[in-house]
Amino acid sequence: MTGVRLTVQDDALGQAVTRLGALGKAIHEPDLLAIAGAVVESSTRDRFDTKVAPDGTPWAPWSAAYAKTRKPRHSLLVSSGGLRDSIASFIDTAAGEVSIGSNLVYAAVQQFGGGELDAALPASKIPARPFLGISDEDRTGIERAISTFVEEILAE
């Protein structure tokens, strides 16, 4: 796959998934992975509106020279919405993992920074604007979503 994918190992979440999987046939690990993936996928897309990295730091603004090239409908990492819309979760049931990422070639440059915007412009390196990752709010959201899922199954 071309693009960027971030996989975060969260031992506490992994242990919880294993314990929940032990409840039997009612709770399937792929369902839990899909729930976690959906929460983080949604949160990742929201970052294109808030312009804040998973660790809570605001994204670097455009340089003044680059800002002059943008249209009023453009904002950081959003001109057509292609990068935001490319965010997807990928479940690997064999490994018991879910990853969130983009298949776009330029996603990695936006996540980690680098590359040249315009060789004629001074300081035209693209700064890192992390959109992938798990925030504290994401962890809380995953816990809530999985708890709700389990409560619904136990109520049946």
Side-chain angles (χ1 to χ4, degrees):
M1 172 178 86
T2 307
V4 64
R5 178 176 81 176
L6 182 67
T7 303
V8 176
Q9 176 149 356
D10 189 316
D11 291 333
L13 181 59
Q15 291 169 2
V17 167
T18 301
R19 286 193 309 270
L20 289 170
L23 286 176
K25 293 182 180 179
I27 299 176
H28 303 284
E29 186 175 319
D31 294 335
L32 300 175
L33 294 171
I35 290 168
V39 168
V40 178
E41 188 177 325
S42 176
S43 174
T44 301
R45 284 197 184 106
D46 289 346
R47 290 188 186 109
F48 290 84
D49 295 327
T50 64
K51 315 298 187 200
V52 174
D55 69 1
T57 57
W59 289 348
W62 288 325
S63 69
Y66 187 73
K68 290 178 185 177
T69 70
R70 303 292 79 203
K71 295 185 170 89
R73 71 178 187 277
H74 293 163
S75 67
L76 284 172
L77 300 191
V78 180
S79 61
S80 69
L83 180 56
R84 178 191 55 225
D85 295 345
S86 74
I87 302 301
S89 56
F90 310 91
I91 297 172
D92 182 344
T93 54
E97 297 177 347
V98 61
S99 300
I100 311 302
S102 167
N103 63 352
L104 297 179
V105 174
Y106 63 89
V109 171
Q110 299 300 336
Q111 173 77 16
F112 302 111
E116 289 280 338
L117 284 173
D118 183 342
L121 295 174
S124 66
K125 296 271 187 210
I126 298 171
R129 294 185 178 105
F131 52 93
L132 296 172
I134 297 179
S135 67
D136 291 340
E137 292 82 14
D138 293 338
R139 284 185 179 83
T140 301
I142 292 168
E143 289 171 11
R144 265 186 273 183
I146 289 177
S147 292
T148 300
F149 176 74
V150 170
E151 288 170 10
E152 289 172 359
I153 288 174
L154 294 176
E156 292 178 357

